[in-house]
DNA sequence: TTGAAAGCGATACCAC
DNA sequence: GTGGTATCGCTTTCAA
């Protein structure tokens, strides 16, 4: 390991002070626009600072104030585009207020997560944002123990209240999961559907539970078919969507519409429908939740409940600024509204129900191995 | 604006020193594993530091060393999943070495970009990574002027050498664009295709130019049909893919295969083929570049040249660590290999060529307005 | 091999 | 209003 070059020293507050023959503290006050400084002095200082191209050292300020003007974001992975939209919204709000955004992914690994929190604390981040990350009791305690504002996204504190952890210090920002599902069921019921299948997300996620409960209640409220067979468990990925769709569409009395708890699983459902020779939306209506980029593509055109990801990020940012400046330690929960975007995967219920081509369990495996995996890889 | 709470003070190096009755400087040396410290002393100090859960203050260290152990990443937006894979790879390498990753998006806006660079410099980042961002002369000068290591991703320094800017201080990491396209053409030629269409990316991007040139050369080298009509300009988005595909597939003698300079445009091409009643891959072979998540879906199953995004990120990280420790100011350019993933959108050239249903220009607009835009929005 | 002390650059407190 | 100065926590000479 060699020697690291030392960056050149820039203009300091003392340089500015000397150039003007005033005290450093006065310069500091002027730069912070404190009323205590005489207008004339302030103007002179500001002008000189600009002329000398003075740049405050973030490190020096952080050392004395113990605030770094930065927030750390922890997310399970960078793969989910929705997470990045959230960061995008967050970053735009924070950047404007002079805060930096630090990111770290955990790959859903506890050790990595702990290390990330650790690294953030060491850097004196002013707050930590946790997106959709499952936290065990240790991680929760670690977060609570560092005494920083913490905002949880898409995961209600209730998740670990059952684990007897002190969740009350955390803020929460999420979307109206139940309301979104209710609106989807309304939409389908309005088209005449009375037998609607639902593929859930992973039920350890609070958001997935809310979506599932939202479905149950909506079906009840509208007096639709509440057959328990119409509810199958999934896990937010494409293959789970295929599995769930196969289960639902193989029922002797199959549903005329399927709600998937996210768009990816809706795509899996579309794929299965195609395999069974069912035309969407003529024979089967399909809806998702999230409105990912691909849902808008003409070839897909999925009706879905849009996750307000950017709004969520902005909301997190605004909440943080609020906490920074107003020091309101009373935790809040923000639930953002969801809108249904009607595209072309939903249609009125057909007069007669086509059962579709039957599909065996083996055929799923065969189909996946033939189409999902890359068949050949040529190295260029 | 209220008062900001001061975070509690943690364990300092002095605390550890006092607990052991040694000098702070010795603790510092021990923590840095300097050979000068006696093994016994070092062991005692390390043990005590762990016992007291000592955490070095990043700010204090940054103040004296003028290095923050962090790098700033600038990207045009958070929407492109590929960028996030790059950050993912970068972050994993950096985190392991104790570096933090700061992110900022510019929305392709010059002012925002300048502000982001500014903010990074102020925070004493140790390096700046610029991903796929178009830089004007001012931004380039700003980057060069701050005296930090800079790595450009997917944009060769040559881009602005023409603008007389000092590009020689920048590193470059990218992929073998020309090689990837060549491999795709090889694959198609191997299937018997001799008339291949190409939809380019935006030609102000160096990577897009490399892909285009790669196509030209491969066609030449293999003696395929070099009709200039087979080359149409696009811009990396879905609609450009549709436009390009319509142009290519409306040729009196239409190509039997289409290469799109990225996957999104390949999807657009698939969509147009479907509208024209052409079956993929029976009537038309389609390939893309990037291998985005959706390309692997069974319903899409696109043959494509995989962009090694994570490798690119890791490579950037490794290069940075190298520069940090070896202080090798000699800039390098890293070009990562690309692999072709053969899926189900390519097949041997058919015996007879189906011209497909004709499509008017108006029908594109009509199709897009009917399928692309959300038709109804219900607020939940 | 260890210890004492001088900064790094900005803030904040208290005289003036 | 303004100026001196201690201080934040760590690194880094230089002396012992």
């Amino acid at each position: 390991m060699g020697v690291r070059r030392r960056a050149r020293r820039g203009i300091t507050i003392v340089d500015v002070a000397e150039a003007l023959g005033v005290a450093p503290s006065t310069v500091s006050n002027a730069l912070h626009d404190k009323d205590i400084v005489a207008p004339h002095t302030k103007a002179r200082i500001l002008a000189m600072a600009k002329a000398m191209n003075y740049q405050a050292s973030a490190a020096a300020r952080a050392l004395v104030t113990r605030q770094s003007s930065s927030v750390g974001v922890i997310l399970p992975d960078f793969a989910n585009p929705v997470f990045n939209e959230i960061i995008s919204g967050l970053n735009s709000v924070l950047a404007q207020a002079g805060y930096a955004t630090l990111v770290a992914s955990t790959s859903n690994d506890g050790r990595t997560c702990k290390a990330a929190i650790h690294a953030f604390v060491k850097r004196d981040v002013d707050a930590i944002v946790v997106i959709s990350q499952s936290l065990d009791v240790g991680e929760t305690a670690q977060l609570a123990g560092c005494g920083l504002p913490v905002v949880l996204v898409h995961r209600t504190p209730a998740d670990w209240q059952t684990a007897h952890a002190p969740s009350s210090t955390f803020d929460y920002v999420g979307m109206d999961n139940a309301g979104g599902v209710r609106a989807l069921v309304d939409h389908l019921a309005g088209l005449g559907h009375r037998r609607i299948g639902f593929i859930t997300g992973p039920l350890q996620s609070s958001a997935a539970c809310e979506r599932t409960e939202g479905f149950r209640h909506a079906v009840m409220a509208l007096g639709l078919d509440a057959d328990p067979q119409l509810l199958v468990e999934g896990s937010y990925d494409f293959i789970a969507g295929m599995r769930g769709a196969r289960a639902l569409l193989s029922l002797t009395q199959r549903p005329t519409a399927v709600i998937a708890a996210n768009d990816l699983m809706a795509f899996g459902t579309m794929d299965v429908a195609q395999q069974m020779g069912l035309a969407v939306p003529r024979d089967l209506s399909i809806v998702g939740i999230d409105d990912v980029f691909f849902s808008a593509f003409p070839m897909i055109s999925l009706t879905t409940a849009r996750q307000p990801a950017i709004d969520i990020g902005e909301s997190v940012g605004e909440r943080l600024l609020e906490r920074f400046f107003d020091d309101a330690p009373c935790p809040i929960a923000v639930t953002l509204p969801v809108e249904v975007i009607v595209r072309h995967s939903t249609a009125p219920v057909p007069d007669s129900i086509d059962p579709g081509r039957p599909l065996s369990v083996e055929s799923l495996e065969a189909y996946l191995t033939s189409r999902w995996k890359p068949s050949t890889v040529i190295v260029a």
Side-chain angles (χ1 to χ4, degrees), chain A:
Chain A
M1 178 189 323
V3 180
R4 297 176 57 172
R5 183 167 42 92
R6 245 174 113 99
R8 69 173 170 68
R9 207 183 70 106
I11 303 295
T12 78
I13 224 171
V14 178
D15 297 332
V16 178
E18 284 176 350
L20 251 42
V22 300
S25 47
T26 306
V27 174
S28 175
N29 283 331
L31 259 22
H32 285 259
D33 201 28
K34 294 260 173 69
D35 292 335
I36 197 177
V37 184
H40 176 65
T41 322
K42 193 187 287 183
R44 278 204 315 151
I45 292 176
L46 260 36
M48 180 56 89
K50 183 150 38 154
M52 296 177 76
N53 192 29
Y54 164 76
Q55 291 305 326
S57 151
R61 176 177 296 157
L63 180 56
V64 54
T65 61
R66 303 201 60 75
Q67 286 162 179
S68 60
S69 291
S70 65
V71 327
V73 180
I74 291 176
L75 65 175
D77 61 84
F78 286 97
N80 192 327
V82 167
F83 297 163
N84 299 300
E85 281 188 67
I86 295 175
I87 295 182
S88 173
L90 175 63
N91 180 243
S92 71
V93 171
L94 290 182
Q96 216 148 19
Y99 284 78
T101 309
L102 312 206
V103 296
S105 91
T106 66
S107 322
N108 263 314
D109 170 53
R111 281 235 331 278
T112 315
C113 180
K114 283 210 181 67
I117 297 174
H118 214 92
F120 282 157
V121 170
K122 202 160 143 171
R123 283 171 194 282
D124 291 314
V125 296
D126 298 337
I128 293 181
V129 176
V130 181
I131 302 179
S132 274
Q133 163 77 31
S134 63
L135 298 167
D136 66 30
V137 180
E139 289 148 17
T140 308
Q142 187 187 5
L143 274 175
C146 64
L148 289 172
V150 172
V151 180
L152 269 19
V153 176
H154 282 323
R155 183 158 291 266
T156 64
D159 260 303
W160 48 76
Q161 270 175 352
T162 57
H164 316 293
S167 67
S168 50
T169 54
F170 299 160
D171 285 322
Y172 163 80
V173 177
M175 59 191 268
D176 183 7
N177 290 295
V181 175
R182 197 182 320 120
L184 288 173
V185 176
D186 279 348
H187 166 63
L188 290 171
L191 291 170
H193 296 274
R194 312 215 23 102
R195 200 166 156 76
I196 303 174
F198 189 86
I199 308 174
T200 77
L203 295 177
Q204 60 273 35
S205 145
S206 64
C209 290
E210 288 169 22
R211 291 175 190 185
T212 307
E213 282 313 300
F215 175 71
R216 279 215 185 88
H217 286 134
V219 164
M220 211 93 86
L222 293 172
L224 305 180
D225 194 338
D227 182 351
Q229 288 193 104
L230 290 173
L231 200 78
V232 301
E233 189 170 346
S235 60
Y236 279 159
D237 65 41
F238 183 85
I239 300 212
M242 295 186 76
R243 293 231 157 81
R246 284 180 171 242
L248 289 172
L249 300 181
S250 307
L251 292 176
T252 38
Q253 199 192 345
R254 73 157 176 81
T256 59
V258 171
I259 301 179
N262 73 350
D263 285 0
L264 252 57
M265 294 198 294
F267 298 151
T269 305
M270 283 187 166
D271 198 53
V272 169
Q274 192 180 317
Q275 290 173 55
M276 294 179 71
L278 299 175
V280 176
R282 197 197 56 203
D283 299 319
L284 179 72
S285 286
I286 299 176
V287 308
I289 299 180
D290 273 353
D291 192 27
V292 302
F293 192 55
F294 276 76
S295 300
F297 279 19
M299 60 210 291
I300 306 274
S301 199
L302 179 72
T303 294
T304 188
R306 175 153 179 62
Q307 163 167 180
I310 292 189
D311 294 348
I312 288 175
E314 289 174 350
S315 177
V316 171
E318 282 153 15
R319 172 59 181 162
L320 286 178
L321 296 180
E322 221 174 279
R323 285 196 73 144
F324 293 157
F325 293 115
D326 293 344
D327 193 23
C330 173
I332 60 167
V334 176
T335 302
L336 266 45
V338 165
E339 61 180 19
V340 169
I341 300 185
V342 177
R343 296 207 181 90
H344 301 85
S345 64
T346 47
V349 66
D351 300 327
S352 68
I353 295 174
D354 178 349
R357 273 196 296 278
L359 295 172
S360 64
V361 175
E362 303 78 51
S363 71
L364 172 63
E365 304 302 332
Y367 179 71
L368 283 178
T369 43
S370 76
R371 308 259 323 168
W372 179 264
K373 301 278 183 189
S375 26
T376 324
V377 173
I378 304 171
V379 177

